[in-house]
Amino acid sequence: MIPFPPSAPTPTPFDPASLGVGHDQPRLLLVDDEPRLLLSLYELLQGRGYQLITATNGAEALAHLSKLRFDLVLLDLGLPDIGGHEVMDFINQKGIDADVIVVSGEVGIDAAIGALKRGAYDYLRKPYSREELLKTVGNALKARRLEQANERIAAQLENSEKMYRYLVDSSPDIIYTLNHEGRFTFINERAHQLLGYKRDELIGQHYSILVHEEDLERARYVFNERRVDERASRNVELRLKCHAGNAHDRTFNTTLMTISLNAIGMHVPDQEVRKLEFFGTYGVARDITDRKRAEEVISYQAYHDILTDLPNRILFKDRLGLAVIQAKRKQTELAVMFIDLDRFKLVNDTLGHVKGDELLQQVAGRLKECLRKGDTLARQGGDEFTIVLPELRERDDARAIADNFLESLHRPFDLDGHEVHISASIGIAIYPGHGESIDELLRHADIAMYQVKGQGKNGHAFYDPSMQEVSHQKIALGQALRRALENDELEMYYQPQVDAASGKIVGAEALMRWNHPARGVVSPGEFLPFAEENGLMLPISDWMIGALCRDMLQWKGLCGSQVRLSLNLSPQYLDRGDFFEKMRGALLRYGIAPGQIEVEITENICIRNPQYAIEQLNKLGQLGVSVAIDDFGTGYSSLAYLHRFPVHTIKIDQSFVKEIHDEHDHYPVVLAIISIARGLGLNLIAEGVETEIQARYLRANGCLTMQGYLYYRPMPLPRFMDVLQEHGVQSGDHNVIAFQA
């Protein structure tokens, strides 16, 4: 490098950051072995916004080119050590991004050709004019800036295209374009993933090869969409076919827009005509197959019972309405049946709701097997089913189907080893004789069903207008029962229990009676079912506890404090969380010792929720109240429960006692219950004893405490107290008096 005057700038030192593209000032390398010419060139370019670095020979130039990045090299060919052509060869071999302007004094054409072959931007011959040099340098740098800008734009376009293709191919939707003939010109990779077709199989093919045959007419308008404004097709649902062996047909929600070209038309005076020429269609197809399936499931579940897969009441009413319209048009009859399962609640309480659901599913299957084609079986809810039988030829057809239902339900049901027997009560209403509207037919079939329930269940009956009056009477009875509590119309009757050996009264069972102002005395078998259905068992049980405690106050002077009263609790009352507090409060209020109370429960209470029942009964035991099981042997009890429950007494149900007709015969159920009581050390009472034969058989086999019409009928409190006095019951006799509602 030649020495320059102090005022001349020195070459810029090596700066790694200067290697980047886009430094503010272009960097120029000036190479010439003539100091005077090099200085002149330097001064000519100085102050024009360039970074200037000089070299006096080829080696020095190569050193600078190896360290720094240059935009332009002004190169003399005739260097003393390494020629200018060799410097250019170095630049090309190393891939150095720098333009070269050759400044040479050689006049031969070969030197210029050699320089241009090596990629020189231009060739200036010494001596050159000032303007020529500046113009050439300016043009070279301008061309370089344009080239670099083009390279950046090209790189951006390439990256943009890569990103676009990535986004298009990664889209969850099928993206495609069609030409004006409806043939695919582009389709993304999603089509292969969803439909199984490769791009090459679809490009050039008509869109119709993908469209389901039933949707072709609608697709003809959608795939040829020509509008570009808000009227363009949006969210049109089409089904597209999948490649053979790939999957089932899928449903697509297709959004379309049109690509149009603007064309310039002929000019007319003072007007310009613009024309849109249809070019093709751009579309996005979204797979909504899963959504459609979910919608179908939701729609199905809205009209079907989830447990049995039968139509629900909404769909049933719709089909019944259509059947009524058709029957009216054809002037034919149809039948509506209302089916209620008998003893289903017992299965739910004893085996649990899971087994109850299994039973309902099996029942639904059996009922469907009895139907004709075109009949509709639906589940109304719980254990209730409804059926519509359209186009009846005669009423005997409905009767025959009802008989088939009862026969199919007569066979036992297997619930994981539990053999269950149930029956059904079926009410039948005929259109148009029993009603012409949906609600009338269902209501009258329901009334007929309750008529069957009231007559012993397990049967069917056609609606009759007289049943309406019975139904109204039942409603009136339920309303009057609510007033009975307010008007103090309930009363306790007592049926004495006797020791069969001595004939003495040893206890009593209390039976609730309703002194109806119009009907007279009503037995509990008539009104307690209404109480259970209408939520009145809890207030009635509260009243019963108070009534018994008040009666006991009257017996203190007659029987003393050693009399034990047995109180029969309703399952609903036992399930209520505060029944224990209710009973303890009543005993405290009336001054009754807990040891005088024995609570009677049915054995089904013990097994529908045994752990809860044990907790509640143990509370009573801690309080001092004893426990008896009523109607023993009629439910689904397990002997294991007798060991777990704090039981003191079991009672033989009257249904077993009634079977005793010969004192010398063998009645295994009665003998088994007696043996259980004896083996567990429990007290034993037989209910419903009406004949001497029954009494002798029971006494001979070890059951000494009995009650029934053979001895006494139920009687009101004053009469019962007279009987106690007649038999000389005194305070020290330790008699047991059992009270049952």
Side-chain angles (χ1 to χ4, degrees):
M1 181 183 293
I2 63 172
F4 291 102
S7 59
T10 57
T12 304
F14 176 73
D15 180 7
S18 65
L19 295 177
V21 179
H23 44 74
D24 294 337
Q25 293 181 326
R27 183 179 293 128
L28 278 61
L29 177 61
L30 311 180
V31 185
D32 201 315
D33 62 337
E34 291 290 338
R36 182 176 56 82
L37 294 177
L38 184 58
L39 179 59
S40 173
L41 181 60
Y42 187 94
E43 291 177 346
L44 177 62
L45 297 174
Q46 185 181 10
R48 298 183 181 276
Y50 307 138
Q51 296 183 31
L52 301 177
I53 297 178
T54 61
T56 58
N57 53 55
E60 192 175 347
L62 297 182
H64 286 310
L65 289 170
S66 299
K67 295 179 181 179
L68 300 177
R69 186 180 186 282
F70 293 91
D71 296 287
L72 186 62
V73 179
L74 277 71
L75 178 63
D76 183 20
L77 293 181
L79 299 175
D81 53 349
I82 300 176
H85 287 161
E86 285 77 9
V87 173
M88 295 180 69
D89 290 339
F90 177 82
I91 291 174
N92 292 332
Q93 291 172 1
K94 298 297 184 180
I96 297 174
D97 182 22
D99 292 323
V100 178
I101 297 177
V102 175
V103 182
S104 176
E106 297 187 18
V107 298
I109 190 65
D110 292 339
I113 293 174
L116 294 176
K117 283 184 176 180
R118 289 173 172 80
Y121 174 78
D122 206 346
Y123 188 94
L124 295 180
R125 184 170 297 167
K126 297 177 184 179
Y128 47 80
S129 67
R130 172 189 179 92
E131 291 74 12
E132 182 182 15
L133 177 66
L134 292 177
K135 183 179 180 180
T136 302
V137 169
N139 289 341
L141 292 176
K142 181 179 180 180
R144 180 176 181 81
R145 286 195 299 271
L146 291 175
E147 182 180 356
Q148 290 176 344
N150 288 337
E151 290 177 354
R152 286 196 300 271
I153 292 174
Q156 291 173 356
L157 288 175
E158 183 179 359
N159 290 334
S160 177
E161 182 180 1
K162 288 180 179 179
M163 180 61 69
Y164 167 77
R165 287 192 173 275
Y166 173 78
L167 292 176
V168 170
D169 284 336
S170 301
S171 171
D173 304 328
I174 294 178
I175 300 175
Y176 62 90
T177 57
L178 305 174
N179 63 12
H180 65 284
E181 295 179 346
R183 299 183 180 277
F184 288 103
T185 55
F186 171 80
I187 193 163
N188 66 348
E189 182 64 22
R190 189 61 171 163
H192 180 240
Q193 298 170 3
L194 290 178
L195 304 179
Y197 289 94
K198 296 181 180 179
R199 289 180 180 176
D200 296 342
E201 295 178 291
L202 295 177
I203 299 299
Q205 296 292 329
H206 195 265
Y207 67 79
S208 58
I209 70 168
L210 290 183
V211 181
H212 194 281
E213 289 77 5
E214 297 177 3
D215 293 347
L216 279 174
E217 186 64 24
R218 186 165 24 145
R220 186 165 65 87
Y221 295 99
V222 176
F223 279 96
N224 290 310
E225 180 61 79
R226 294 168 178 259
R227 292 173 293 196
V228 295
D229 54 14
E230 292 299 323
R231 298 180 303 153
S233 296
R234 295 283 185 259
N235 301 325
V236 179
E237 293 183 5
L238 295 173
R239 288 170 292 174
L240 301 186
K241 295 185 293 188
C242 295
H243 196 281
N246 183 62
H248 299 293
D249 295 347
R250 306 186 72 84
T251 303
F252 286 81
N253 183 314
T254 305
T255 302
L256 300 172
M257 58 181 295
T258 305
I259 299 174
S260 300
L261 287 177
N262 295 327
I264 303 298
M266 296 292 293
H267 291 277
V268 295
D270 301 326
Q271 281 186 318
E272 181 182 38
V273 179
R274 299 186 64 188
K275 179 182 178 183
L276 291 177
E277 180 183 351
F278 179 67
F279 179 76
T281 303
Y282 164 80
V284 177
R286 174 159 296 178
D287 183 11
I288 59 171
T289 304
D290 293 337
R291 192 194 78 190
K292 293 291 290 185
R293 289 173 181 166
E295 289 175 353
E296 291 173 359
V297 170
I298 293 173
S299 176
Y300 184 86
Q301 291 179 348
Y303 296 102
H304 288 78
D305 175 58
I306 297 177
L307 178 64
T308 61
D309 203 34
L310 295 176
N312 60 14
R313 65 179 63 191
I314 298 175
L315 181 56
F316 177 80
K317 283 191 172 183
D318 181 69
R319 293 187 179 178
L320 177 55
L322 293 176
V324 168
I325 293 173
Q326 187 177 17
K328 182 180 296 185
R329 182 183 302 118
K330 295 184 177 181
Q331 295 185 347
T332 58
E333 290 186 327
L334 65 82
V336 175
M337 292 186 178
F338 206 107
I339 301 178
D340 186 271
L341 301 183
D342 303 326
R343 299 188 301 278
F344 176 75
K345 185 177 183 299
L346 182 61
V347 176
N348 253 356
D349 291 344
T350 55
L351 300 181
H353 290 281
V354 174
K355 298 304 178 189
D357 290 345
E358 292 180 13
L359 177 59
L360 289 175
Q361 291 171 337
Q362 293 186 34
V363 167
R366 292 192 187 181
L367 295 180
K368 282 194 293 186
E369 294 175 355
C370 301
L371 295 177
R372 310 167 305 171
K373 185 178 182 181
D375 297 340
T376 296
L377 168 67
R379 183 186 178 207
Q380 288 290 300
D383 60 342
E384 296 178 337
F385 298 85
T386 51
I387 298 168
V388 57
L389 307 175
E391 298 186 4
L392 282 183
R393 293 175 301 176
E394 52 187 13
R395 295 191 178 188
D396 284 342
D397 291 345
R399 182 179 289 107
I401 292 177
D403 287 334
N404 290 338
F405 286 158
L406 296 175
E407 183 180 352
S408 68
L409 297 178
H410 181 71
R411 303 193 308 271
F413 292 86
D414 183 10
L415 301 178
D416 290 339
H418 297 278
E419 188 176 282
V420 175
H421 293 267
I422 64 170
S423 59
S425 299
I426 305 175
I428 309 172
I430 302 296
Y431 170 89
H434 298 156
E436 297 187 3
S437 69
I438 296 173
D439 292 336
E440 270 187 317
L441 292 169
L442 285 172
R443 185 171 65 254
H444 291 166
D446 190 26
I447 291 174
M449 181 272 292
Y450 274 107
Q451 181 76 5
V452 177
K453 284 276 189 185
Q455 294 177 350
K457 308 177 181 180
N458 191 26
H460 59 76
F462 286 89
Y463 170 77
D464 187 271
S466 62
M467 298 178 181
Q468 191 83 9
E469 181 61 28
V470 175
S471 177
H472 290 160
Q473 291 177 2
K474 290 182 178 179
I475 295 174
L477 186 66
Q479 294 172 345
L481 182 58
R482 293 182 181 274
R483 294 191 296 268
L485 282 170
E486 302 172 1
N487 299 334
D488 198 23
E489 297 173 2
L490 299 179
E491 182 182 1
M492 300 304 299
Y493 273 48
Y494 300 92
Q495 185 177 29
Q497 299 169 340
V498 300
D499 184 326
S502 64
K504 292 184 179 181
I505 296 177
V506 295
E509 179 178 4
L511 301 170
M512 188 179 296
R513 294 291 186 266
W514 177 12
N515 294 314
H516 194 279
R519 299 179 56 186
V521 178
V522 182
S523 67
E526 291 187 65
F527 67 85
L528 286 184
F530 288 97
E532 292 180 350
E533 293 176 5
N534 295 280
L536 294 175
M537 282 306 301
L538 301 184
I540 287 177
S541 297
D542 287 340
W543 173 88
M544 184 180 64
I545 291 177
L548 291 178
C549 289
R550 288 191 298 270
D551 288 349
M552 291 176 66
L553 291 179
Q554 300 185 45
W555 299 332
K556 279 191 174 181
L558 179 64
C559 302
S561 60
Q562 301 300 319
V563 175
R564 178 181 298 171
L565 305 177
S566 186
L567 174 64
N568 192 308
L569 285 181
S570 162
Q572 294 181 12
Y573 199 66
L574 183 63
D575 286 341
R576 191 169 73 170
D578 62 347
F579 96 94
F580 172 76
E581 297 297 333
K582 288 268 188 180
M583 177 171 291
R584 183 172 64 175
L587 296 179
L588 290 174
R589 185 164 58 254
Y590 290 99
I592 307 299
Q596 296 178 255
I597 301 295
E598 183 171 75
V599 171
E600 289 192 11
I601 59 175
T602 60
E603 58 181 325
N604 291 332
I605 293 177
C606 304
I607 59 178
R608 66 176 181 174
N609 192 348
Q611 189 57 42
Y612 178 78
I614 290 173
E615 293 173 0
Q616 301 304 310
L617 296 178
N618 279 334
K619 283 185 178 181
L620 292 177
Q622 294 170 4
L623 184 63
V625 176
S626 58
V627 177
I629 294 184
D630 190 22
D631 302 334
F632 186 79
T634 60
Y636 295 88
S637 64
S638 168
L639 295 181
Y641 292 138
L642 293 178
H643 292 284
R644 298 173 59 189
F645 283 82
V647 177
H648 303 83
T649 304
I650 58 177
K651 302 181 73 175
I652 305 175
D653 186 67
Q654 59 183 347
S655 61
F656 301 124
V657 175
K658 286 182 178 180
E659 297 297 322
I660 302 174
H661 302 295
D662 185 349
E663 61 183 297
H664 301 294
D665 205 344
H666 184 72
Y667 301 96
V669 175
V670 175
L671 296 178
I673 296 174
I674 294 173
S675 297
I676 291 172
R678 183 184 298 116
L680 297 177
L682 301 177
N683 299 324
L684 183 65
I685 301 175
E687 300 177 306
V689 180
E690 299 180 354
T691 67
E692 286 289 349
I693 293 176
Q694 295 168 348
R696 287 196 296 269
Y697 182 86
L698 291 168
R699 185 169 60 250
N701 288 283
C703 179
L704 300 180
T705 305
M706 307 177 196
Q707 72 180 74
Y709 286 0
L710 177 63
Y711 302 101
Y712 295 97
R713 290 178 176 270
M715 60 191 70
L717 175 62
R719 174 59 184 150
F720 175 65
M721 294 184 67
D722 290 341
V723 170
L724 291 180
Q725 287 182 326
E726 291 172 3
H727 284 73
V729 178
Q730 301 297 325
S731 60
D733 288 345
H734 300 277
N735 299 303
V736 177
I737 303 178
F739 292 87
Q740 179 182 24

